[in-house]
Amino acid sequence: MEDQESQEIILNGIGGSPGICIGKAYLVDKEGVDVVKKYIVRESFLSAEVGRFKTAVKKARESLRQIIDNTPEELRQHAQILETHMLLFKDKMLYDRTIEVIEKERVNAEWALKKVVSLVKPMFENMTNDYLKQRAEDITHVADRIMENLVGGDHVNIARIDKRVILVARDLSPAETSQIQLERIKGFVTNRGGRASHTSIIARTLEIPAVLGVGNATLKINNDDIIIVDGGAGTVVVNPTEQTLLATEERRGQYEIHKALMVRNSYLPAETKNGQRISVMGNIELPEEVVSLLDHGGDGIGLYRTEFQYLSRPDFPSENSLFENYKDVIDVMGHRPVTIRTLDINGDKAVNYIRDNQEPNPALGLRAIRYCLRKPDIFQTQLRAILRAAAYGNVRILLPLISGIEEVEQAFEQIDEAAETLEKQGVVYKRDIPVGVMIEVPSAAVTADILAEKADFFSIGTNDLIQYTLAIDRGNRHVAHLHQPLHPAILRLIKGTCDAAKANGIPTYMCGEMAAEPIFAPILLGLGVNELSMNPQTIPVVKNAIRSIDTTGIDGFMEEMMRLTTPNAIQDLLAHQFGSVVPRIGLSEQER
């Protein structure tokens, strides 16, 4: 009879951080905090029960503060993630509502906390945006810390692990992940989490392989099991056979060589063999991602999504808070461009303190620039902060979801008004900065010639442009196959945008997922895109691809491509013309 315990099994999850590691599993025991009993609290003891909850919150805050204070200097860039957890301890949705449940329902604090978390988490989990979905995990991490103090559980101390192991846990919080000792922890696997989670971001910054969202890893893996973690493919092999181990070792070697070559050359400019140079920038959501961007050879920030500063808060951030965050990023970037996209909330990025954001079709509703123009006080706060920060570096403003020239004109009026108030108040600022328009709505692409007369640059957001043009919900697996960047309609819209920009003497940038695919680089160069922006980890691969291309005579290729009528025909032509020079070997979708 075959030994079931040593049988090789493959678990599938989400690649949180690329790379491959092989080692013994170390199960991090965090069981217990979910086992919560409910009991009724007598009215005379309610005040004490609330006090017990407040004490647990206080202890949890002190514990997290200690972790932040003890974070090594090289990991300081993660501190803001942990600071957001500090804010959640006092979040009205979590803190005030738990106290309210204790008092109104006369239940114990553990039960009240569990009930509130079960109500709040789905609000984030049901959002279509991956980034915001992962904020549900932040709620869980904070609640777990409070719960551990209520039930008397011990915190997991990752820093005390003294073996070379791979961590396997139901979940790891950013605080726990930041305690990882790189000389001991090879990688980790979790039941929960996703690619956009803070835990995943820290893993990528630490550059250790991680697979998240496996679901049942802690049930399928035992302590000291030999496991293979492939963070690029999002797979975990438990008890691998000798053959699998040998094949993995060979693949890991190839990956490390390939990665080393990519990173070693990442500081070289992205210049084709025939001398066509293009800037390769990074997209960031958090200030702490700036270090990773520079380490991967980014020429600047092509898209700074500012929504994060409006999340995990009880209300809108102040002008000074925004200014300090922008200035922190600008200071690190020095002379390099920093493209700050103005607030893009609502739609699939709702914040909890906006009460009037319930819409039947939020993707087509009051979001992004539409919301900002409707709420000028909120817009002015952000614009003033940007203009103040612009005095310290090379800043651009990017306006999202523009659908017509009227919105651009109104946005410029708002920017001028912000500058005038700063001038009157004698505050240091800079108004003479480029203001660009995101081309992500078909109407904007079609009227690019009109928009180009006002805008200083275009930045094409291919994710929304494809979604709106082809009527594809990217989150709907039934139609996901129709999300085709090489669709003739998409290529014609991009070409029209580039042509209009060129005719008006302004540059065209691209900050969507299409920019991060090295195989698309020849087309984007041929269309006339002047700058690409992507997640920082992809920068070395795309730069390397560009350096492999010779665009001499590309006009003929572009003319032939634009005559083709289907995405498959265009893909075949692209593969035929450039497939042999654009590197794709050894890299998963997430690594590319």
Side-chain angles (χ1 to χ4, degrees), residues 199-216:
T199 302
S200 183
I201 291 171
I202 293 178
R204 290 197 291 275
T205 306
L206 293 173
E207 298 192 8
I208 60 174
V211 176
L212 291 75
V214 176
N216 57 356

Side-chain angles (χ1 to χ4, degrees), residues 225-440:
D225 277 350
I226 298 295
I227 60 175
I228 298 170
V229 177
D230 187 335
T235 59
V236 181
V237 182
V238 186
N239 297 319
T241 64
E242 192 71 21
Q243 187 177 10
T244 302
L245 281 172
L246 288 172
T248 303
E249 284 287 6
E250 184 177 350
R251 199 156 49 88
R252 183 172 66 167
Q254 292 174 344
Y255 171 79
E256 293 299 335
I257 292 171
H258 184 74
K259 179 183 171 185
L261 284 173
M262 294 293 107
V263 174
R264 189 173 65 190
N265 295 328
S266 64
Y267 294 95
L268 297 174
E271 184 174 309
T272 64
K273 288 184 173 181
N274 55 315
Q276 183 178 353
R277 184 175 288 199
I278 186 169
S279 296
V280 180
M281 319 276 273
N283 299 342
I284 68 165
E285 292 165 343
L286 304 166
E288 55 264 33
E289 292 177 277
V290 172
V291 175
S292 175
L293 184 152
L294 293 175
D295 287 345
H296 288 86
D299 297 320
I301 297 174
L303 177 63
Y304 181 6
R305 300 183 177 99
T306 56
E307 292 76 56
F308 179 77
Q309 290 165 270
Y310 293 76
L311 303 172
S312 302
R313 299 178 49 87
D315 51 24
F316 285 100
S318 67
E319 178 184 316
N320 279 338
S321 169
L322 294 172
F323 165 71
E324 292 294 341
N325 275 283
Y326 301 152
K327 187 172 179 298
D328 284 347
V329 171
I330 292 165
D331 285 344
V332 176
M333 293 303 293
H335 65 281
R336 301 174 185 84
V338 176
T339 311
I340 301 177
R341 184 176 71 183
T342 58
L343 186 59
D344 184 4
I345 56 171
N346 282 348
D348 60 353
K349 302 170 186 172
V351 294
N352 60 63
Y353 46 85
I354 298 178
R355 305 301 179 192
D356 56 348
N357 59 359
Q358 298 300 317
E359 297 179 291
N361 196 346
L364 304 179
L366 189 64
R367 54 168 288 208
I369 195 67
R370 302 170 183 177
Y371 179 83
C372 288
L373 293 176
R374 181 72 67 86
K375 303 285 185 181
D377 53 333
I378 295 168
F379 200 20
Q380 281 293 309
T381 299
Q382 185 182 32
L383 291 174
R384 284 171 56 94
I386 295 173
L387 295 181
R388 287 173 59 192
Y392 299 90
N394 183 3
V395 172
R396 309 165 177 165
I397 291 178
L398 182 58
L399 305 172
L401 205 74
I402 292 293
S403 59
I405 188 65
E406 297 92 342
E407 290 168 336
V408 181
E409 292 172 343
Q410 291 173 38
F412 270 72
E413 289 172 5
Q414 288 289 325
I415 295 170
D416 289 339
E417 182 180 328
E420 288 170 10
T421 57
L422 290 168
E423 179 70 29
K424 288 178 182 175
Q425 294 167 2
V427 178
V428 176
Y429 74 101
K430 185 178 180 183
R431 169 63 184 92
D432 185 22
I433 59 176
V435 179
V437 167
M438 274 200 86
I439 304 294
E440 52 187 338

